[in-house]
Amino acid sequence: EAAAKMRVWGVRCYFLGPEWRWNWLDFLCILLSAGDLLIMFVVSKFFDLELSSLVLLKLIRLGRLARLVKALRLPVFKELKL
């Protein structure tokens, strides 16, 4: 999605346009996900661990993050409510 937006709007408008905060958040999530995939690959290759155990750890971390976001109740997240 981020690549499509950059292609349609241009990189400058994507990072500096009216929704720049959400776009930076999207880009940060993409970078963190790519780094996470790289770490999972390296750990599973060199330390002979199963990916299923690493996925379980990722789910636990995601649950902690969701709890933190709920606890913060920042005004920026009011936009996400239905």
Side-chain angles (χ1 to χ4, degrees):
E1 178 186 354
K5 283 183 179 180
M6 282 186 218
R7 184 162 175 91
V8 170
W9 295 344
V11 176
R12 180 180 297 255
C13 186
Y14 179 79
F15 287 111
L16 302 174
E19 294 186 354
W20 68 272
R21 288 181 181 98
W22 289 113
N23 293 336
W24 274 100
L25 179 65
D26 285 342
F27 191 71
L28 179 66
C29 289
I30 291 168
L31 288 179
L32 290 174
S33 295
D36 191 39
L37 285 173
L38 179 67
I39 289 170
M40 281 183 55
F41 175 74
V42 169
V43 167
S44 68
K45 265 305 197 211
F46 294 110
F47 295 106
D48 198 30
L49 292 174
E50 291 185 24
L51 286 179
S52 60
S53 60
L54 294 174
V55 169
L56 180 63
L57 288 174
K58 285 176 58 176
L59 286 174
I60 292 170
R61 285 188 358 224
L62 184 61
R64 284 185 15 214
L65 177 65
R67 198 175 75 214
L68 174 68
V69 168
K70 183 178 177 185
L72 289 177
R73 297 179 192 231
L74 295 173
V76 73
F77 293 115
K78 288 182 182 178
E79 186 178 311
L80 299 176
K81 287 186 178 180
L82 296 176

